[in-house]
Amino acid sequence: MSYTLAGKRVLITGASSGVGAALARRLAAQDAVVGLIARRRERLDDVLADCRRTSPRSAMWVADLADTSAAGRLALQSWHALGGIDVLVNNAAIPKRRAVAALKPNDVETVMRVNFFAPMRMTLALLPRMLARKSGTIVNVSSVGGRLGIIHESAYCASKFALCGWSEAMAVDLAGTGVSVKLIQPGPVDTEIWDRPDNEEPLYRGPKVAADLVADEIIAALGSDRFEHYLPDMMSLKDIVDAKNADLDAFIAGAAAMTWQ
């Protein structure tokens, strides 16, 4: 399925670094108009300056999506400023690497606000307009942690499992409306999420893929008929998820055993 980016208006959350920043620059280079949302003004200024070299109508909004009450209003403000939104990319996310027994309720609720409730509110704010227009794409950037329980990532996994379930049910509800849903499942990506303060040291020591590569594959997913995309396109990730679903007890036992090695 061909998909032309030129002239498309794309709103991206978490756009000041990592996958969001890489995606914004890639899209602007292909003549899309990008709207950028993130907390850090200076970093966002730099990304916007790069985007405006090829996409002068691009714009930015500084906001903390942990304030979910503002998320819907921000989405509508972006819609009006850009003259509509063709693609919403819910990319912003935060971790909380901590053993479940050491978590506080506020820890989990903060992760849920940024990783699930903000995407939900932004989507519901824009969806009536997309449905009336009979076109639009919602891109939810989840994680392989939205399909697998990961040691010391119970808060993060809860938020990403929620985003996966939300995306699947939404895709069913929206079938035939002209509004499509894409669920993105990145593996380990080389971004700042591994270095966030107030988190335990990550136990994962394996390879990570570049944010630019994931951004390129998200763009490729926009032109695909498929709903779910494991990125980078490594079947090994999907194989692991399929094996877990085939025998969940064996997966939990194996993961728990690896924890103590």
Side-chain angles (χ1 to χ4, degrees), residues 31-32 46-47 58 61 74 80-81 85 94 111 119 122 131 136 138 140 146 151 169 175-176 191 220 227 251 261:
D31 297 322
D46 290 341
V47 178
S58 295
W61 292 268
L74 182 60
H80 293 304
I85 292 171
I94 60 172
V111 173
M122 297 191 77
L131 288 171
I138 308 296
N140 289 330
I151 180 71
T191 70
F227 162 70
F251 169 79
Q261 289 181 0

Side-chain angles (χ1 to χ4, degrees), residues 151 203-205 251-261:
I151 180 71
L203 298 178
Y204 180 75
R205 294 290 187 269
F251 169 79
I252 291 173
M258 290 174 62
T259 302
W260 303 106
Q261 289 181 0

Side-chain angles (χ1 to χ4, degrees), residues 20 34 55 57 60 62 76 86 113-114 116 127-128 134 173 215-216 227:
V34 292
S55 180
R57 290 179 52 219
M60 72 178 216
V62 177
L76 293 178
D86 299 294
R113 284 197 298 271
V114 175
F116 177 65
L127 190 56
K134 298 183 180 180
D173 283 352
D216 287 339
F227 162 70

